[in-house]
Amino acid sequence: MSSRIILIGPPGAGKGTQAARLSEALGIPAISTGDIFRANVKGETELGKLAKRYMDAGEYVPDEVTNSMVADRLAQDDAAVGFLLDGYPRTSAQVDELDRILAAEDTAIEHVVELTADTDEVVARLLARAQTEGRSDDSEDVIRHRLDVYEEQTQPLTDIYRSRGLLRQVDGLGDVDDITERILSSIR
Ligand code: AMP
């Protein structure tokens, strides 16, 4: 089973939920840049203070900051067996950086799983999540902006990975267990 995987999809498509399940099923760490940023915001680190400004506005944290954070994370021992990236790369500069990091280790991404979901559905999910989790970037205006930013900057990355023959599209709507199964069969 291949083990260097990117999970891509709009905010609210269920990447975090699926990343946790896939991490368990495949025995590889799930690395979420959003979670790492949120942990830094909570811990009030310098990185967290910088990231928060962007996150609260629904903007991407600058590439240099995000890239160096990911390079550090991928250098940790647990990522040697493989990893599942949730929420990275999100820009073409991040794709280039990831390529560079992996080439230096003589490895490469094996699968890019795109979780698809329509806009109305993801907005509804994110608004529901705002009520239960109280995330500061889950207000309706910020949600709409995050979806626009995704469409503009991240959606085009699927073409890059499609042209490399790595893209697997999976319907992100429906029963959570079924979606996990669909993802696992798309990478088998
Ligand atoms: P997420 O939990 O993946 O939706 O990420 C929450 C927020 O963290 C995003 O809206 C961005 O502000 C920031 N973020 C997460 N991953 C990245 C990334 N790869 N590049 C830039 N910003 C990111």
Side-chain angles (χ1 to χ4, degrees):
M1 176 86 67
S2 300
S3 54
R4 285 183 196 83
I5 303 164
I6 292 169
L7 199 53
I8 197 167
K15 296 189 300 297
T17 303
Q18 293 301 327
R21 296 166 147 252
L22 296 166
S23 163
E24 173 100 24
L26 300 170
I28 53 176
I31 299 176
S32 156
T33 42
D35 283 351
I36 302 174
F37 284 132
R38 278 185 289 278
N40 277 276
V41 170
K42 207 168 169 205
E44 296 179 359
T45 68
E46 286 306 311
L47 174 64
K49 285 179 203 157
L50 185 150
K52 188 172 180 353
R53 296 208 307 270
Y54 296 94
M55 296 170 80
D56 285 352
E59 298 284 344
Y60 288 167
V61 178
D63 286 329
E64 316 81 72
V65 176
T66 309
N67 282 339
S68 72
M69 183 177 88
V70 170
D72 288 349
R73 180 62 188 87
L74 290 179
Q76 290 175 24
D77 290 346
D78 65 338
V81 291
F83 50 79
L84 183 121
L85 286 170
D86 161 12
Y88 182 93
R90 266 173 149 106
T91 65
S92 57
Q94 294 180 12
V95 171
D96 294 344
E97 172 66 4
L98 180 61
D99 286 346
R100 199 192 57 73
I101 295 170
L102 297 182
E105 296 295 319
D106 233 354
T107 62
I109 292 296
E110 286 140 304
H111 301 281
V112 178
V113 176
E114 180 185 14
L115 266 187
T116 60
D118 74 42
T119 307
D120 288 346
E121 172 68 21
V122 297
V123 170
R125 284 188 193 181
L126 290 168
L127 287 172
R129 184 174 76 185
Q131 305 224 306
T132 53
E133 290 179 26
R135 261 175 62 163
S136 58
D137 59 352
D138 273 346
S139 72
E140 182 152 6
D141 284 356
V142 176
I143 287 169
R144 300 242 175 235
H145 186 59
R146 283 161 63 209
L147 288 166
D148 288 344
V149 171
Y150 177 83
E151 202 164 301
E152 207 172 287
Q153 299 202 45
T154 306
Q155 182 69 51
L157 306 188
T158 58
D159 292 334
I160 299 176
Y161 290 116
R162 182 183 290 108
S163 71
R164 296 184 190 179
L166 299 179
L167 190 70
R168 329 281 175 233
Q169 284 177 307
V170 173
D171 185 353
L173 294 186
D175 179 75
V176 179
D177 288 330
D178 293 346
I179 299 168
T180 308
E181 267 319 303
R182 290 202 282 272
I183 296 174
L184 288 171
S185 50
S186 80
I187 63 174
R188 270 184 195 121

